[in-house]
Structure formats: C-alpha cells, structure tokens
Amino acid sequence: MLTSKLQRDIVISRGGGDGAEDESSSSLGKPKTIHPPIESHWHFPVPQERKKPSSSMSNLGFKKFRESFKKLGGSSSKSMKMVLAGVRDPKDQKIVESFRELLFLEGQLPPQHQDYHTLLLFLRMRDFDLAKAKEAFLTYLKWREDYKVDAIPKEFKFEVYESVKKCYPHGFHGVDRYGRPVYIEKIGMVDLNKLLQVTTLERFTRYHVSEQEKTLNVRYPTCSIAAKKHVASTTSILDVHGVGLANFSKPARYLFMEIQKIDSNYYPETLNRLFIVNAGNGFKMLWKAVKAFLDARTLAKIQVLGYNYQSDLLEVIDQRTLEHPEITNVLQAISAGNEVNSNEEYGNDASEEATVQNRKIQGLEAALRDAKKKIEALEAALEDIKNVLKELVQHVEDLRSTSWEVHPISS
C-alpha cells in the first residue's frame, strides 16, 4: 500500500473515463502529472436504448466478435469508423490541432505519422507542453527512420518464435473488463542462456518492436471492434515467482534497459496497468534497484503483489476471459503471424487453423488501412474547407474596406 505522502506527490490532471483508475505512486522530488487512462479522451454517444454495460468482456458476446470479422470487407461501416476514430474531446482536439499546425509549419509532419491518436500520445507524454511534445515526437521520428521500423512488418521474420516462447513464456491472453488486451510474462520461467542460443538480444529487441507495431495497428483496433469502444492501452501481468537479484545478470539488464527505453520514448502512454504477482523477498530486493529506472508516471501504474493476488486481479480482469479460447486465439495468432508467413515462404505446411487465423488478420489489416486512408482524406478535405472559409472571410473584409472608401459616410 502506498503512503499518503507519495499520494500527495501525484497530480491527477483529468478525471472521468470508463477505464480503471491509475494507482498513485511517485519517487521523491518534483510532483509528476499522472493522467487518467488514454481511453478517457474518447467519449462515445450512448444509444437511447442501451443495457447496462457488463463488467466482463465475455458478456459482450463472442458471437458479436465473430461478426465483426465478417463485416471487415465493408470498411466503410460508420460504426467501425466511429470505434476506430472515436468521438474526440473538444479540448483535446483543439490542442492536437495546434500541435499538428506547429509541426506542419516547421515541415516536421510526415503523412503516415500525423494521425490524431499518435499526436495525442506525445502530448500526454509531455503534459500537453507543445515544445516538449515536439521534441519527443521528432526524436520518435528519427528513431523510426534509423531503426527502419516501417520495414519491419515486411522484412523482419522471427522464425524462432515458438522456440523463444519455450524459454521466455509470454503472450496475450484475453482482455480485461474494459476490453483492453491482457499481456502476460512469466519472468520466473525465463531461461536466458537458452534464449541466447536460439536468438540474439538485438533480434529479440527487434521482435519486441514488431510486436508493439502489431499492438498499435492490429490488436487495439481488434479489441475496439469487439468492445465497441476505443481501446488504446494494454493491461499487463508479470509473474515473478522465483525471481531475485541473481536473475538480473548483465544480458538481462541490457534487455530490460533497451525495452524500457523503447517503450517509454517511442510507445508512450500504452500501458494501462501492470500487475507484478508472486513477488517474494528476493524480487522485492530486486525491485528496489529496478524501479530507479522508471519514471513516476510508470510507477503509478504498477502494483506489486505477493502470492495472494487473485482478488486484486479479478477487480480488473474477469477470469473467464482468460479461459475463453476465441479472442485469445485471435490475439495469439497475431503474435504468431510472422512464423506463419515464414512457414509459407519456406514451403512448410502450416496448420489449417493458423492459416485461417492469419487470413482474418490480413483482412483486418487491409480494412484498417482503408479506413485510416478515408479518415485522413476526410481530415484533409476539412482542412481545405477551413482554408476556403478563411479566404472568404478575408474577401468579405476586403469588400467592406473598398465599400468604405467609395461611399464614405456623409457628415
């Protein structure tokens, strides 16, 4: 339980939203602004006849989840666009537009990274300070160019995915009560020596980046369609049973620092909550060292639990969603997508089920790309209309000025 002093060091900038509230935490020093869940920036119109929202994703009906895939061909669906784009908060929209204009005037706004959601993430990351957000955004663009992130989906193939999972158990398993994807790692079962026998730390880091890209471009939209509301963050569970100082070897430190740097700087505001479970005395000693590398905003989202953690998790995650195979299989198929593609390239026979899942994912990706293009075209058209209206206003002002000069008022 966090002390009241630490809680006073946290500033909650905005309330509301359907997501879970952030836990308060901070390191000593300057107070840090802790924002509510990213989903609270989107407000959806409530239909006149609507049943009380269920506390469980399973109660949303997985039949509807299946139907959402069947309708992917009709990417012009208004409901799908509403879920993906969201109904934006006017205050947010105003500052995002100012941020976009600032970047555009300086020639620092590439078309593929000017979407509303990305700009909002970097504004939140820097507490809506335009200058600091611009600096972080430009650093992000430079990293994507240097790391060749846009080429990863086509060029990077992680053929050792299944072998890596055996020595580094991790993956997505269902959704939380809000509809966010749930990511689980079993750190206590990681065999770093075997991991380094099947891959390198550099390739594993690149694999991590590829998974982050899939989460942004496929997992969040998939969960948004299933939950029928905007989903833009992940709830994570870290099982640290048996972990202690001995596990924090030099390769482990390198991997932790690299992934932490990438997630904090280039995929900000995508963590909703992190539950660290099965924390024994050994891990608690390690945690004192690890948390020094985390900022106050990240720490505020982390809850360290012992062995009796079930009741805490059940407040956020319905156990049935972790056991329900349908959405879990789809989310896992997204992770296995690289391996399925690799098998096809090398002539190996992929399982029929994996092939079907991969086709669904490809259809979803195509539909999302089409919807994104139409949204961007609409935003461009609105910008043109805005410019035309400005010209009309100026023209009217010019006419008024001319009329004044030709027909002065008689004294």
Side-chain angles (χ1 to χ4, degrees), residues 389-402:
L389 290 176
K390 286 182 179 179
E391 293 177 1
L392 286 174
V393 170
Q394 184 61 46
H395 184 60
V396 170
E397 292 296 327
D398 293 341
L399 289 176
R400 287 178 178 173
S401 177
T402 303

Side-chain angles (χ1 to χ4, degrees), residues 20-23 25 176 180-187 233-240 256 260 263 270-277 283 287 290-291 294 297-305 312-313 316-317:
E21 296 180 359
D22 290 335
E23 294 290 335
S25 176
D176 66 12
R180 302 178 184 91
V182 174
Y183 176 78
I184 301 176
E185 276 192 15
K186 295 187 176 181
I187 300 297
S233 62
T234 303
T235 296
S236 298
I237 303 172
L238 221 59
D239 187 341
V240 296
F256 169 78
Q260 168 62 18
D263 291 351
T270 54
L271 175 66
N272 173 55
R273 297 281 295 277
L274 170 59
F275 295 94
I276 299 177
V277 301
F283 175 80
W287 177 240
V290 170
K291 69 179 183 180
L294 305 175
R297 182 173 295 145
T298 301
L299 285 172
K301 299 177 181 181
I302 299 175
Q303 188 171 356
V304 180
L305 303 170
D312 292 274
L313 284 186
V316 181
I317 305 169

Side-chain angles (χ1 to χ4, degrees), residues 326-337:
E326 185 151 5
I327 192 168
T328 300
N329 287 343
V330 172
L331 292 173
Q332 291 287 37
I334 293 171
S335 297

Side-chain angles (χ1 to χ4, degrees), residues 22-85:
D22 290 335
E23 294 290 335
S24 296
S25 176
S26 174
S27 58
L28 296 177
K30 184 179 179 181
K32 187 82 171 179
T33 301
I34 305 300
H35 300 293
I38 184 68
E39 290 85 3
S40 65
H41 289 265
W42 278 265
H43 305 281
F44 295 96
V46 181
Q48 293 182 354
E49 294 183 2
R50 179 170 179 158
K51 295 181 180 180
K52 183 178 179 180
S54 166
S55 61
S56 167
M57 178 62 191
S58 61
N59 293 334
L60 288 172
F62 283 89
K63 181 179 180 181
K64 295 182 180 179
F65 182 79
R66 285 195 299 268
E67 291 173 354
S68 67
F69 279 104
K70 295 178 182 179
K71 296 178 181 178
L72 289 177
S75 58
S76 61
S77 168
K78 292 182 179 179
S79 60
M80 178 176 172
K81 288 183 178 179
M82 183 195 76
V83 170
L84 296 180

Side-chain angles (χ1 to χ4, degrees), residues 12-271:
I12 303 297
S13 64
R14 294 177 54 189
D18 294 327
E21 296 180 359
D22 290 335
E23 294 290 335
S24 296
S25 176
S26 174
S27 58
L28 296 177
K30 184 179 179 181
K32 187 82 171 179
T33 301
I34 305 300
H35 300 293
I38 184 68
E39 290 85 3
S40 65
H41 289 265
W42 278 265
H43 305 281
F44 295 96
V46 181
Q48 293 182 354
E49 294 183 2
R50 179 170 179 158
K51 295 181 180 180
K52 183 178 179 180
S54 166
S55 61
S56 167
M57 178 62 191
S58 61
N59 293 334
L60 288 172
F62 283 89
K63 181 179 180 181
K64 295 182 180 179
F65 182 79
R66 285 195 299 268
E67 291 173 354
S68 67
F69 279 104
K70 295 178 182 179
K71 296 178 181 178
L72 289 177
S75 58
S76 61
S77 168
K78 292 182 179 179
S79 60
M80 178 176 172
K81 288 183 178 179
M82 183 195 76
V83 170
L84 296 180
V87 179
R88 299 159 182 174
D89 187 311
K91 293 180 181 179
D92 292 337
Q93 195 159 5
K94 185 176 180 179
I95 192 169
V96 169
E97 190 59 36
S98 298
F99 188 35
R100 180 181 281 119
E101 186 174 350
L102 172 66
L103 294 168
F104 176 77
L105 291 175
E106 297 186 8
Q108 302 286 358
L109 192 62
Q112 65 271 33
H113 300 297
Q114 66 169 331
D115 62 282
Y116 181 90
H117 182 258
T118 298
L119 298 181
L120 178 61
L121 289 180
F122 282 92
L123 284 167
R124 274 176 53 111
M125 177 186 181
R126 292 295 180 253
D127 297 333
F128 294 90
D129 184 307
L130 290 177
K132 293 180 179 179
K134 185 188 79 170
E135 182 181 359
F137 182 72
L138 296 183
T139 301
Y140 160 77
L141 293 181
K142 182 68 166 57
W143 169 76
R144 289 188 70 93
E145 181 181 0
D146 294 343
Y147 206 72
K148 296 180 172 57
V149 177
D150 292 332
I152 287 179
K154 294 182 179 179
E155 299 178 4
F156 180 73
K157 305 299 179 184
F158 202 58
E159 295 88 352
V160 295
Y161 171 75
E162 286 298 333
S163 299
V164 166
K165 283 197 68 175
K166 292 178 181 178
C167 52
Y168 194 129
H170 67 283
F172 286 86
H173 298 270
V175 293
D176 66 12
R177 292 181 184 273
Y178 180 87
R180 302 178 184 91
V182 174
Y183 176 78
I184 301 176
E185 276 192 15
K186 295 187 176 181
I187 300 297
M189 297 177 64
V190 172
D191 188 329
L192 201 55
N193 291 328
K194 287 186 178 179
L195 177 67
L196 294 177
Q197 290 174 8
V198 297
T199 189
T200 64
L201 294 177
E202 290 75 14
R203 279 189 61 80
F204 186 86
T205 303
R206 186 165 288 270
Y207 158 71
H208 176 77
V209 172
S210 73
E211 288 298 296
Q212 287 287 55
E213 290 291 300
K214 288 179 184 178
T215 297
L216 287 179
N217 299 317
V218 182
R219 292 188 180 102
Y220 290 159
T222 299
C223 290
S224 296
I225 293 171
K228 294 188 176 180
K229 53 188 174 184
H230 193 84
V231 173
S233 62
T234 303
T235 296
S236 298
I237 303 172
L238 221 59
D239 187 341
V240 296
H241 180 73
V243 174
L245 287 171
N247 299 86
F248 209 43
S249 61
K250 185 176 180 180
R253 290 196 300 272
Y254 171 84
L255 193 60
F256 169 78
M257 294 298 294
E258 281 297 298
I259 290 178
Q260 168 62 18
K261 181 179 71 174
I262 289 171
D263 291 351
S264 298
N265 295 332
Y266 312 129
Y267 298 96
E269 302 295 322
T270 54
L271 175 66

